[in-house]
Amino acid sequence: RTALVNVYADGSVVIHHTTSDIGQGVQVKVIQVVAQTLGKLLSPNEPLSIDTIRCEGMDTSINPNGIFTGGSTSSESSCEAAQQACNVILERLQPILNEMNEKKEKGENIDISWKNICSTASGKGINLSVV
């Protein structure tokens, strides 16, 4: 399975994955995994608000060559793909957080929030779209 995770400058997140929701609740599962994974940047035990995350329907023009949805592992596979994409995004955002923490330690008044980290990363041209 594949998942495309896009993080925008305002901190919102849009996910495209390759599992059709046929009653198994895959959209909710993927959103919860993304919220938990990206939330680790600021606090290991506090997920991002799910209000900032949305899951789009399966679209082969965005994620081509997805495999069929069926069996008991389709949801979990999409969750894993989204989690892996989020981990790459966290690697890209970590230097921004480190810079902010250094500035704060030097006495600068810095708002270290998810939204501000994303905005700063976007302003520096850091790619926050990962498949």
Side-chain angles (χ1 to χ4, degrees):
R1 301 248 171 237
T2 59
L4 168 63
V5 178
N6 296 309
V7 176
Y8 295 89
D10 67 354
S12 62
V13 181
V14 177
I15 310 146
H16 298 271
H17 59 84
T18 56
T19 298
S20 294
D21 197 337
I22 52 175
Q24 76 276 42
V26 66
Q27 309 295 45
V28 172
K29 292 176 185 178
V30 170
I31 288 170
Q32 289 173 333
V33 165
V34 167
Q36 191 68 41
T37 304
L38 293 178
K40 290 178 188 175
L41 184 67
L42 294 171
S43 171
N45 296 315
E46 188 166 330
L48 291 182
S49 169
I50 60 171
D51 295 336
T52 63
I53 304 169
R54 84 174 188 266
C55 218
E56 296 293 326
M58 191 172 134
D59 186 338
T60 57
S61 68
I62 295 170
N63 281 339
N65 305 318
I67 58 174
F68 66 90
T69 298
S72 61
T73 61
S74 295
S75 296
E76 288 73 12
S77 297
S78 282
C79 288
E80 178 65 23
Q83 186 174 39
Q84 288 177 8
C86 289
N87 286 332
V88 173
I89 291 169
L90 291 177
E91 289 174 13
R92 294 177 184 176
L93 291 175
Q94 188 63 51
I96 301 295
L97 177 60
N98 293 344
E99 287 175 21
M100 292 176 142
N101 281 327
E102 287 174 18
K103 289 179 181 180
K104 191 166 191 161
E105 287 173 7
K106 292 179 181 177
E108 290 186 42
N109 187 15
I110 301 272
D111 173 28
I112 300 178
S113 65
W114 172 253
K115 184 176 180 177
N116 198 25
I117 292 168
C118 294
S119 177
T120 302
S122 178
K124 290 184 177 219
I126 295 172
N127 182 3
L128 299 178
S129 294
V130 177
V131 174

